Amino acid sequence: MKAILVPVEQHSFIRSVLDATLLVAGRFGSHVEGLALGPDIPDVIAFDVPVGWTILSEKEQRELVERSRHLFEEFMLSCAVPRKTEAPDEVSCGWLGQQLFGDSYIGSFGRVFDLIVLGRPGARDEPPRLATLEAALFEGGRPVLMVPPSSPASIGETIVIAWNGSTETARTVALAMPILEKAGRVVVLTLEGWGVEGPSGAELALRLQRNGIRAETAARRLNTRSPGEAILDDAASFHADLLVKGAYTQSRLRQMIFGGATSHIIAHAGVPVLMAH
């Protein structure tokens, strides 16, 4: 994971997003690229006009970009991260462009990165926006690291894989292999009565072990919990600092109507979550 994209937007825990980005970058000697993120103007106007939202003038957009760039560069400077480095295993950073990029751009441009780092979506009218996360998941084809409001102390030391046998989770595990290979402990978690027809957690753990990964299995019951609640509860019981989960095994529309594990985790995760669709 040598190329990491971190869209920068003004919200209350952007520092947590940047902290998490550097934790991952430090494990791989990555180059971190930031850009200024804003809502897609046509989409907002046509479908979802937040209360009190106004269209930014070109001057206001330039000022917003400058504030985002300044935030990113000041953070990297405070952490002694250089723009360029001759050493292949040292972290470096760079800023992309002088314009405000929308959510749809993140979905397409993210395809050339190894990882996209975003904040956990907040309330309806506030960033981080669910639209950004879903654009990255559905259009990017790359793994997305969703960061909670509190800065993590570590990422990838103890990893829980929420295994449900699905194609989405299999793809996420494949994309997570660089992180899994560096982990001290990997727990393949399965929940009784949750999942689709597919290989068992034990079968996944066996193949991970053949890749040199310290994988073990854990089977738990839902009891009165929803799958999303159970995943977060059980990940916490293992003191996981990273949850790996496929996103939207059920359709997004179904999850909006009936709820689902992905929707619950997006709303409530207190641990970084690596997701892909």
Side-chain angles (χ1 to χ4, degrees), residues 1-12:
M1 293 189 169
K2 303 290 282 188
I4 299 177
L5 176 65
V6 54
V8 178
E9 191 169 24
Q10 307 290 319
H11 59 75
S12 60

Side-chain angles (χ1 to χ4, degrees), residues 188-272:
V188 180
L189 173 68
T190 56
L191 300 173
E192 185 178 300
W194 176 71
V196 300
E197 191 68 28
S200 67
E203 289 171 317
L204 172 62
L206 174 61
R207 274 68 187 192
L208 291 175
Q209 290 164 5
R210 287 178 175 164
N211 280 278
I213 294 169
R214 302 177 182 89
E216 60 191 84
T217 60
R220 297 288 187 268
R221 293 183 177 180
L222 287 173
N223 296 321
T224 60
R225 304 174 297 175
S226 71
E229 291 172 330
I231 291 167
L232 293 180
D233 288 348
D234 294 333
S237 73
F238 289 109
H239 304 288
D241 60 6
L242 181 66
L243 173 64
V244 173
K245 187 193 180 300
Y248 295 111
T249 297
Q250 295 179 325
S251 73
R252 179 182 181 276
L253 178 60
R254 180 180 175 84
Q255 294 220 20
M256 287 175 62
I257 297 171
F258 300 105
T262 300
S263 296
H264 183 89
I265 288 168
I266 287 174
H268 300 287
V271 63

Side-chain angles (χ1 to χ4, degrees), residues 135-168:
L137 286 171
F138 287 106
E139 304 298 332
R142 307 301 296 161
V144 176
L145 181 68
M146 185 185 73
V147 181
S150 298
S151 293
S154 63
I155 293 180
E157 297 294 342
T158 299
I159 300 175
V160 167
I161 300 172
W163 180 250
N164 63 355
S166 70
T167 302
E168 291 80 9

Side-chain angles (χ1 to χ4, degrees), residues 65-78:
V65 170
E66 183 59 24
R67 289 198 298 271
S68 294
R69 184 191 65 79
H70 181 75
L71 189 157
F72 177 83
E73 293 182 346
E74 284 293 305
F75 173 84
M76 292 299 171
L77 181 62
S78 72

